[in-house]
Structure formats: structure tokens, C-alpha cells
Amino acid sequence: MWLFLWVIFSLGMLMPGKLSLKLQYEGDQVLHIVPETFQQVQLLQHLCNSLLLDLWKPLLPEDIGAGEDLHVRVPAPLVQEVKDSLDQYLISYSVLIPDVQELVDQSMPKERSSPRQVPEGYSYTKYHPMEEIYQWMTEIQNSNSELVTQHYLGNTVENRPMYYLQISQPSDKTKKIIWMDCGIHAREWIAPAFCQWFVKEILQNYKSDPKISRFLQNLDLYILPVLNIDGYIYSWEKDRLWRKNRSPYMNGTCYGTDLNRNFNSSWGSVGVSYNCSSIIFCGSGPESEPETKAVAQLIEKKKTDILCYLTIHSYEQYILIPYGYTTEPASNSEELMYVAEKAAAALMEKYGTSYEVGSTSLILYSNSGSSRDWAHMIGIPFSYTFELRDKGTHGFVLPPDQIQPTCEETMLAVITIIDYVDHKYFPGGAVMLSSSSLGLSLYLSIVLTWAVS
């Protein structure tokens, strides 16, 4: 009865200034548990399945393991029942988040940006709704037309346009590409915040920073600030903890595909669900979702020029390399690890934040259909997932005062990766010559040497 009343209350809470109903998390708690025995693991799996608890880490009950951290959101009416069960079976726990709704309220901006605030007065230390991000993209292009172009990518399930920004210094040479996307999971607001920060930093510093100045001679940057636009808007307007896109399934009785389980990389084989109500529902087939298809078509078209694929998520502080669907190492795993460790070391220098580095299947959990794995499988040599701050203190609801330090340290890591790629493929600093132009260059050099002698 209490659970029923809580659900009605949660769905029926009218938010100030809104005409739509918004899911509330008042009194919900996130618990941190580390099971010590197999029996405790079994009990926790039973609790999560029977009470439909919201697992934040890991995402699936079957991935709960002895000695492994578990983060779970418990609805307010069930908090005491869950704690009593844990006490009964001598399972220790701590409260990570005592009231989820308090954190949610803190993360919402007090006021919206006006058109005049973009881009000079645009705040990069608060979270922005999609309408402001759309406007920011347009203004960034208009204010930096010598470097930035906005390109149409496709449309979402709900028919919203998807755009990416291309940062490119004018050149008559064909350059290589670094791809970055953010916001594939709607609730991970720090990810789009970082994509915006990244663009801002590049544009502010490309003339004065020697690393940025150098790699922009050779590399174009493609940035997709929000991949999952429908889901992101839904997380602002209806459910802050929404993860998936908004595809309707089962005649509209359930919604959403996890877009990071929907790419054609061993699709549907491990770490997914075929239940459309699950947060890791993989869709009806590989690239079944328009958002996934739009990204995949562009990447396929450009894949011979793309040297690095970066996808930004939260949380848990990882830099992840392929693969998630198998424990077999990637062909260049040693180099991928070397570069990731360099990036993690650069990140740590700023604020002492520690990131773990490794393949998803070995240090996190197994999953299939991820964009990172797919990018590497089609031949993009460097492919990484970033899981940004924090370690669970705030989880998916990272407060706005964490945006700047998170972005500052992440910027150092990303620049480290791009700089490595730049030096590897353009060791002389200039755009790499093709084999034919290199042959012509050598021929002319020999002819000129012979003529002089």
C-alpha cells in the first residue's frame, strides 16, 4: 500500500513553473554495499530483483560480486525494509546519498540563460537544457566562423535534429579526424558539460597553446555535444535519472533503448537485456535506433580518416579500452593502455583525482553493442570511453560545483591522447604525405641533388 501511494505521489508531483508532471525522488537513498560472501551476493540479487531496485553499479543483479562495490538506489518507502534485510543477514552498508531529490534540486539551474548570454556570457560551470545547447552551438559557429562549422547528422526518434561541430583550421591538405561524443546516456549530465567545455577551451587557446596549435594543423575535431537528445530532454523535464533514448516499444507500454548497447559490435551477446523495460535494453537489432544509425553512418563514411574515437560518460572514474564483449585483448591493447595511463597521469596532476585504466570486460563488466568497441572493430585505432567523476558520492547527480574541476582535469587527459595521436601519425609536425606524394618528393629530391652535383 505504501509503495502504491509513493508511486502515485512521485508521478503526481507538480513542479513549480512546469505544466508537466515530474518524477520525484524525495527520501530515496543510494546505498553502498560490499558483499563478502556468495550467500550475501545471492541475497542482494534477490532483493534487487524482487523489489525492482535501481542498480547504479553494477547495472545488472547478475554482475554483483563478492568483494565488489555495489551502489543501489532504494525508493523512500522501501528504505527501512531494505536496511532491515541487510542487518538481518549481517551485510554492512553505508548511505552514499541520503536524499536523491535534494541532489537533483541542487543540479537544476536557478534561471535559464538569455540569448544575449551566448557565447561570451555562457556559463560553462552549470548544466544547460537542450534548448540552450542548441543555441550555444549556433552561436559558437557564428562567433568562430573561421574555425567552426555546424553539421546536420540526422534526426532522433522524436524527430529532433542532431548536429555536430567541426573545428578545422583552413588547409588545402586532407586532414585526419578526432571524434568525440557526449551524452549517449541521458542522466550523465556532466558528459555534455564536458563537450561544451572542450570546445570552449580549444577555441580560447588554439593560438597560445602549442599542443593545440600543433594538432589543429593536422587534425579536425568532430564534437557531438549530446548524442541522446530525446533522453536528455526527458531527464530535464520528466525523470532526472532516465538513461535511454525514447523509442516506444510494445505499443507504447515501455520506452527506450540503451544506445550504448545498440551498435553493431557483437550486438546482443552479453551484458544486455531483451526486455524493453530494462535500462540496458539493446533494441530490436543493431543500429535499430535513428540516433545510433546517424552516428554509425557518418563514422563509417569517415572511418579511414578517423584516428581516435572518444565517448564521454559518467560515473566511476575510468578510462576504458576495447573490448567489453570479450576478454580477448584488442590488437593494439598495449599501446591503448600506454596512452590511457599517460592520460590518467596527466589528469591526476590537476587535483589528484585517480582514474583506473583497462578494458571494460576486465575492470568493469561485460557488455556488447558499445560504440567504443564498434569504432575499434571497424578500424579506428584509438578508441576510449571516459567515465568521469565521481566514485559514487553523488553518482549520476554530480553537483554543478564539480563541473569546472571535472572538466579541467579531463581536458588534460583528452589533450594527452590527441597529442599522442598527432605525434604518432604526424611525427614531423606537418600533415602526413601520402605514399604517392612521398614518392614524388623523393624523386624530385634525387633529381635536384643530381642537378646540383
Side-chain angles (χ1 to χ4, degrees):
M1 181 62 181
W2 281 110
L3 179 58
F4 173 76
L5 290 173
W6 170 80
V7 170
I8 297 299
F9 172 78
S10 296
L11 292 174
M13 178 63 76
L14 193 63
M15 293 298 288
K18 293 283 185 181
L19 296 176
S20 59
L21 300 177
K22 190 166 185 177
L23 189 62
Q24 293 284 288
Y25 295 102
E26 189 170 350
D28 289 15
Q29 295 191 346
V30 176
L31 304 183
H32 175 217
I33 307 165
V34 183
E36 296 176 355
T37 66
F38 178 64
Q39 288 74 20
Q40 290 182 349
V41 167
Q42 287 183 311
L43 174 79
L44 290 166
Q45 289 172 334
H46 173 71
L47 276 176
C48 290
N49 284 319
S50 61
L51 298 178
L52 301 178
L53 302 181
D54 179 16
L55 271 173
W56 286 13
K57 180 189 179 181
L59 296 176
L60 289 172
E62 52 263 41
D63 288 331
I64 298 172
E68 301 290 333
D69 288 331
L70 182 154
H71 300 163
V72 61
R73 181 180 63 83
V74 183
L78 299 176
V79 166
Q80 197 55 52
E81 178 183 346
V82 169
K83 288 180 177 179
D84 289 345
S85 294
L86 296 175
D87 290 337
Q88 180 183 349
Y89 290 93
L90 304 177
I91 301 175
S92 60
Y93 64 88
S94 61
V95 178
L96 278 176
I97 303 175
D99 190 327
V100 173
Q101 190 59 44
E102 281 189 14
L103 268 188
V104 169
D105 292 342
Q106 290 170 21
S107 69
M108 301 298 289
K110 300 297 184 286
E111 58 188 29
R112 298 290 177 93
S113 297
S114 71
R116 293 185 303 277
Q117 289 179 298
V118 182
E120 290 81 6
Y122 192 79
S123 174
Y124 291 90
T125 57
K126 72 175 188 179
Y127 297 115
H128 290 273
M130 195 63 221
E131 65 195 70
E132 292 178 12
I133 297 175
Y134 272 136
Q135 186 176 11
W136 168 83
M137 293 177 75
T138 300
E139 292 296 331
I140 280 289
Q141 175 186 241
N142 292 341
S143 302
N144 301 273
S145 56
E146 75 285 0
L147 278 183
V148 181
T149 49
Q150 180 176 254
H151 299 273
Y152 173 74
L153 185 62
N155 273 36
T156 67
V157 167
E158 295 180 343
N159 210 32
R160 295 183 174 96
M162 301 170 67
Y163 300 107
Y164 67 93
L165 296 176
Q166 179 179 345
I167 301 178
S168 176
Q169 281 198 324
S171 173
D172 57 357
K173 303 181 181 70
T174 301
K175 291 189 284 184
K176 297 297 185 181
I177 296 167
I178 304 292
W179 169 272
M180 180 191 297
D181 63 62
C182 296
I184 195 170
H185 290 143
R187 63 190 176 185
E188 299 166 8
W189 287 8
I190 187 60
F194 175 71
C195 259
Q196 295 166 76
W197 184 280
F198 177 80
V199 170
K200 180 257 298 184
E201 287 293 302
I202 295 295
L203 295 178
Q204 284 182 355
N205 299 307
Y206 75 96
K207 290 180 180 177
S208 58
D209 186 305
K211 286 184 179 179
I212 298 174
S213 178
R214 183 190 193 279
F215 67 60
L216 281 182
Q217 295 175 35
N218 308 314
L219 303 167
D220 287 347
L221 307 176
Y222 286 32
I223 302 103
L224 178 59
V226 185
L227 195 160
N228 180 9
I229 293 171
D230 295 343
Y232 185 71
I233 291 173
Y234 194 80
S235 75
W236 274 80
E237 297 182 351
K238 297 294 182 68
D239 179 359
R240 174 64 182 83
L241 297 178
W242 188 258
R243 171 182 168 94
K244 304 183 288 179
N245 79 343
R246 292 296 298 164
S247 285
Y249 280 89
M250 303 286 287
N251 296 317
T253 58
C254 62
Y255 282 82
T257 292
D258 182 344
L259 298 177
N260 204 41
R261 302 292 185 277
N262 191 237
F263 283 82
N264 194 14
S265 50
S266 194
W267 178 86
S269 62
V270 65
V272 301
S273 173
Y274 295 104
N275 176 358
C276 60
S277 297
S278 169
I279 63 168
I280 52 170
F281 174 56
C282 59
S284 57
E287 296 175 20
S288 62
E289 308 308 303
E291 297 92 344
T292 314
K293 186 176 287 295
V295 171
Q297 286 179 342
L298 177 69
I299 301 300
E300 280 279 5
K301 181 180 175 183
K302 304 276 189 180
K303 66 182 180 182
T304 55
D305 291 321
I306 300 174
L307 298 178
C308 183
Y309 188 104
L310 301 171
T311 180
I312 313 298
H313 297 240
S314 74
Y315 65 96
E316 264 298 311
Q317 296 172 200
Y318 289 115
I319 302 177
L320 300 169
I321 70 169
Y323 293 109
Y325 68 89
T326 177
T327 55
E328 288 295 311
S331 57
N332 62 333
S333 62
E334 287 187 9
E335 187 176 25
L336 286 169
M337 282 292 293
Y338 170 74
V339 177
E341 285 166 354
K342 279 184 60 135
L347 185 153
M348 181 182 267
E349 285 179 8
K350 186 68 177 176
Y351 294 109
T353 309
S354 177
Y355 271 55
E356 190 174 354
V357 173
S359 71
T360 306
S361 58
L362 292 179
I363 68 169
L364 190 53
Y365 47 66
S366 295
N367 68 347
S368 55
S370 75
S371 63
R372 177 207 55 245
D373 284 2
W374 171 80
H376 194 267
M377 288 172 67
I378 65 168
I380 296 171
F382 292 91
S383 186
Y384 295 101
T385 300
F386 275 73
E387 297 282 357
L388 304 185
R389 288 191 189 186
D390 56 12
K391 296 290 285 181
T393 304
H394 306 99
F396 298 114
V397 197
L398 196 69
D401 63 11
Q402 298 262 335
I403 295 174
Q404 181 168 338
T406 302
C407 290
E408 286 176 344
E409 65 192 9
T410 308
M411 192 74 193
L412 295 174
V414 169
I415 292 296
T416 297
I417 293 173
I418 298 175
D419 184 59
Y420 179 90
V421 171
D422 181 37
H423 279 82
K424 177 182 172 70
Y425 289 90
F426 307 101
V431 175
M432 221 173 189
L433 292 169
S434 66
S435 56
S436 57
S437 58
L438 182 62
L440 177 62
S441 174
L442 288 171
Y443 172 76
L444 289 172
S445 174
I446 292 168
V447 169
L448 287 170
T449 302
W450 175 79
V452 169
S453 62

